[in-house]
Amino acid sequence: MATRWHDIQADFVDGNGLPATDNIGNGRIHSVAVRAGWRPLAGLRLDLGYVFNDGRVTDPAPLFAAAFARASLAQIPNVARHAARGSVDYTRALSDSVDLRIAALVQYIGRSRVGIGPILGGDQGDYLDSSLTLRIGKPDLG
């Protein structure tokens, strides 16, 4: 998928040392996303997903042109290059009115930049997030 972004808003630190938001210019993002799901058994679902983003500021606003002169800094802020997730969901009836559900999720959020400039141009992301849920109950009470 390809998208064009116009008048991108990003955070930076102004000449007085205060955080500010401004239009940094125009850009584009090329993305590829893959998702797969599988039900090997009744009540069991496995899901995997991956996204690759190549986002670039292609036409910087004049005030920010110097910040994007190097290709390594031209990445659009807050757009992670990689993201992935995997989940397992198992549901089983324990009785006519009570179900057991176990769900696990692991997701990776790739590295991106917070904003632009020496202070807010730092990295963010590059972490794993996970959860594990166990629920026993009826649809409206668990």
Side-chain angles (χ1 to χ4, degrees):
M1 173 172 47
T3 58
R4 292 184 187 187
W5 288 24
H6 297 280
D7 301 324
I8 299 166
Q9 299 291 300
D11 297 324
F12 67 100
V13 175
D14 68 13
N16 297 320
L18 298 173
T21 302
D22 202 353
N23 173 2
I24 63 170
N26 302 323
R28 57 104 181 121
I29 298 178
H30 295 156
S31 298
V32 175
V34 178
R35 182 172 178 215
W38 184 38
R39 291 189 186 264
L41 304 169
L44 178 62
R45 178 166 178 87
L46 308 171
D47 284 300
L48 294 172
Y50 173 77
V51 176
F52 171 80
N53 293 305
D54 180 30
R56 296 280 174 237
V57 175
T58 57
D59 182 24
L63 180 62
F64 301 103
F68 296 111
R70 292 188 349 191
S72 63
L73 297 179
Q75 180 183 2
I76 295 175
N78 295 309
V79 176
R81 195 158 177 85
H82 304 276
R85 74 183 304 267
S87 65
V88 177
D89 196 315
Y90 177 72
T91 304
R92 179 173 181 232
L94 297 178
S95 72
D96 289 342
S97 62
V98 177
D99 291 334
L100 165 70
R101 180 173 182 225
I102 302 170
L105 168 71
V106 175
Q107 57 186 357
Y108 170 73
I109 306 300
R111 181 174 285 130
S112 64
R113 293 183 313 115
V114 177
I116 61 172
I119 297 173
L120 293 180
D123 288 340
Q124 67 180 351
D126 195 25
Y127 65 88
L128 282 174
D129 184 22
S130 62
S131 66
L132 178 63
T133 304
L134 170 67
R135 182 179 192 277
I136 299 173
K138 301 175 181 185
D140 58 348
L141 178 65

